[in-house]
Amino acid sequence: MYLALLVIFLQCSELYTQERVFTFNTVEIKIRPSVKVKNGARMSVFCHADISKSTDFQLKHNFTIFKNGKPVFMSISDREDAQYEIPVARSSDTGEYECTVEAGGKTKSSNSLHVWVTGMTKPILTAEEKEVLEGEVVKLRCELPEEVPPLHFFFRKIKMNSTPKEKHVYEPYRNFSEVTFSVEEGDNILYFDCFGKRSVLLEFESSEHSNRTLVTVKEPFIKPTLNAKPSSNVTEGDRIQFECSTVVARMRDIEIILQKNKTILKSVQDEKILKYSAVATLEDSGEYLCKVEQGRASKTTKLNVVVSELFPKPILSASRSNLDENKELTLSCSISGFRKANFSILRKNSNGDISLKNSRNLTMRVNVNDTGSFICKAEVKGIVKESNPVMVNIYAPVSKPTLSVVSGLPEVVLGKPLRLICRSAMGTPPITFRFHKGNEVKTIVTNDTYAMFLDENIRQNDKKGYKCDARNNHSSGMKTSNILNITVIVPITSASLGSIPYGEVEDGHETAFLCSVKEGSWPIHFRIFRKTDHEVLLFETSENADRIVWRKKAMNRQDTGTYYCMASNRANVDVKSHPITISVILAVWQKGVIAASVLIPIAGAVTFASWWFLCKKKKAKGPSMEMSGSALATNLTSEKLTGQHNDGDYYSGSGYIEDSENHMKTTDETKAPVQKGTETVYSEIRKSNNDSVENRHSRIQGHPDAT
């Protein structure tokens, strides 16, 4: 029975559970009257839950309404609707609203809805003081009691017939703000008001202006008076006195200041009057200002003063502005239309003017050190005036200039620029230099003591001399240098090397080497090298010639190798010839010795064989055969000796120089060209020897046999 009841209970529970199924369809939020509500109007927020149920059963609904993410209303109801009432909407009610409903363990939220409460409450302005003195401050407070920060506050100071002055304050955390305004000179009756602004959806919304607050201003002292005695129009040398005075409510912290062009002339404190006097000068003309200050308050009065000229500025004149040293200079000082004055003449100096004479006239014999500016001063009734400076230049004559090459030697390499310098050791600058090439003026330079000249047009046959002249403002005129002749150095071109014999030379024989150049300025430095495993300098010399000959007396097998020569001159460019190859071969007698050393043993062997044969035959045939055999042997021996010959044929080779290709060629195909080449080289060798016999200086290096 219990088991049957349990089954019935479980089935009933399952049926009950199946009957209470529900789901949220939507949750909606609405604003009445609209999402844009006027400040002070009634506003309602409605929340509705749309739910589907399996059967009609009751649900408890938990409603929560949020503003900007914070809950502002909560309600529990059997109904599917809830309402949040705001009787008087304020700008603080502006924001994002959202509704959330929870029922039976399920929760669903509505979309958010932005509500804008337009308009702001009127701000309240209060002033700390209703009556203030000039120089004091007015402290104001502006409040928006029903608004929520952040807020912007704007304060205005309003004065009759004047544009209001405004101050802005941003308050991120308060709904009120405080500022101060200074009370300035001329502020009598002041009005103040304020208004607020806030930012909504990137737009600014303004409140209406607050109540207008009145503040009255009292003067702490009256505007000062400024007088000049005897008058504001005076003459140079007169004494003028200024008086500045005021009337104050209280003497504490009062200050009177007298100024001219922002320069304070005098000041007094805690006094009602200021006095100042001075001897009037032309510089004293202008506007004077008297200022009275107490705390922040300040009042000013201006006075214009005119000082008439007692006498004009003196004029200094010089007999000459440019003159030679040891000449006389006369300086005269004068005042137009005025003669009774104390004059003095001075020379300007950076360390202080130097007095030359207390007179209106000065005559002096000058030197170069007197060059400079001169002035004169005139004094009448204590007024001293100074003339404009007069510049006087004293000149020493220029000395004869010297012209030289900047690099030192009077020479230039062809194709390189020539730099000349012209100097004048004596003479007062500025000095004007002129450069001449031949009779042509090339350039004019003005400088202190020297000038530079660059000639880039150098030719090989340039024979024109250079000179320069110099002059300044001295009356002696122009001085001219000596003529400078320049040597043009022609660089070496096309070095060539030849030899006699060419190619092959017998051991122990002499070889002559000829090194020549196509062109180049003398002297020329020649060097001959042999290159085997390393380079060996064999010979070097400097000659006033375009070729040299060097003879190697006895060649040996170690002299086999490659030879070349190098030539250079003062252009400092080494020119290298093409190489030639020399092979040292055996001499004829050496070949004969070798042949003899081979043939003599052979001849002996043949003779011995013949003798043995004859002896054997003699034994066989008798004495008659011995005689015939001996004659035959003798003939054979003679024939063998006659048949010996010299295997070392003599070959006389030759070589010649071809300038256009800078290398040596051999000619050994026929006897005639060889002989012609040999004679040509020897002819050149003889000519070189004759040309250079007087100018040669040489040293020989390398092989011990070299000469």
Side-chain angles (χ1 to χ4, degrees), residues 125-141 155-160 179-184 186-193 211-219:
L125 178 67
T126 56
E128 192 175 78
E129 298 286 342
K130 297 292 185 178
E131 187 176 273
V132 294
L133 294 174
E134 284 184 7
E136 294 182 341
V137 296
V138 177
K139 187 175 181 180
L140 303 172
R141 175 188 171 99
F155 296 82
R156 296 197 308 163
K157 174 186 175 183
I158 304 167
K159 188 166 62 171
M160 296 296 293
V179 297
T180 58
F181 279 94
S182 298
V183 180
E184 302 166 349
D187 290 348
N188 297 320
I189 299 175
L190 299 176
Y191 291 95
F192 298 90
D193 68 7
N211 54 299
R212 182 170 287 191
T213 300
L214 172 65
V215 176
T216 57
V217 180
K218 292 184 178 180
E219 287 186 312

Side-chain angles (χ1 to χ4, degrees), residues 92-149:
S92 59
D93 295 320
T94 297
E96 297 286 334
Y97 285 81
E98 184 182 354
C99 176
T100 298
V101 180
E102 188 275 327
K106 295 183 179 182
T107 303
K108 191 171 181 64
S109 299
S110 69
N111 294 328
S112 62
L113 195 63
H114 183 78
V115 177
W116 184 3
V117 179
T118 62
M120 298 176 67
T121 56
K122 183 177 181 178
I124 300 171
L125 178 67
T126 56
E128 192 175 78
E129 298 286 342
K130 297 292 185 178
E131 187 176 273
V132 294
L133 294 174
E134 284 184 7
E136 294 182 341
V137 296
V138 177
K139 187 175 181 180
L140 303 172
R141 175 188 171 99
C142 184
E143 185 176 3
L144 289 164
E146 297 181 2
E147 302 297 336
V148 176

Side-chain angles (χ1 to χ4, degrees), residues 242 244 255-260 263-269 271 273-277 289-291:
F242 296 91
C244 181
E255 185 176 18
I256 304 175
I257 301 171
L258 180 65
Q259 290 179 266
K260 180 179 183 292
T263 300
I264 296 177
L265 303 177
K266 189 176 181 181
S267 67
V268 296
Q269 290 184 339
E271 294 183 18
I273 188 169
L274 175 149
K275 294 183 179 182
Y276 172 76
S277 65
L289 181 141
C290 177
K291 180 186 287 186

Side-chain angles (χ1 to χ4, degrees), residues 7-20:
V7 171
I8 294 171
F9 175 76
L10 291 175
Q11 289 179 347
C12 291
S13 298
E14 185 178 352
L15 291 173
Y16 178 78
T17 303
Q18 291 177 352
E19 290 176 354
R20 295 181 62 84

Side-chain angles (χ1 to χ4, degrees), residues 550-615:
W550 173 60
R551 292 182 175 84
K552 181 77 167 59
K553 289 295 184 182
M555 300 287 282
N556 56 47
R557 298 298 296 273
Q558 286 75 26
D559 293 325
T560 295
T562 300
Y563 292 77
Y564 66 90
C565 75
M566 294 184 71
S568 63
N569 60 4
R570 295 196 304 277
N572 294 323
V573 177
D574 289 329
V575 179
K576 183 177 180 181
S577 72
H578 281 264
I580 63 173
T581 300
I582 301 293
S583 298
V584 179
I585 62 176
L586 294 175
V588 174
W589 66 268
Q590 291 174 324
K591 294 179 181 179
V593 169
I594 294 171
S597 63
V598 173
L599 294 177
I600 287 174
I602 296 174
V606 171
T607 302
F608 176 76
S610 300
W611 176 80
W612 178 81
F613 178 76
L614 289 175
C615 286

Side-chain angles (χ1 to χ4, degrees), residues 96 106 120 130 193 242 253 265 344 357 369 434 457 547 642 645 698:
E96 297 286 334
K106 295 183 179 182
M120 298 176 67
K130 297 292 185 178
D193 68 7
F242 296 91
D253 299 331
L265 303 177
S344 59
K357 189 176 182 181
N369 294 331
R434 295 193 308 173
N457 187 23
R547 64 196 63 210
T642 303
H645 62 277
S698 65

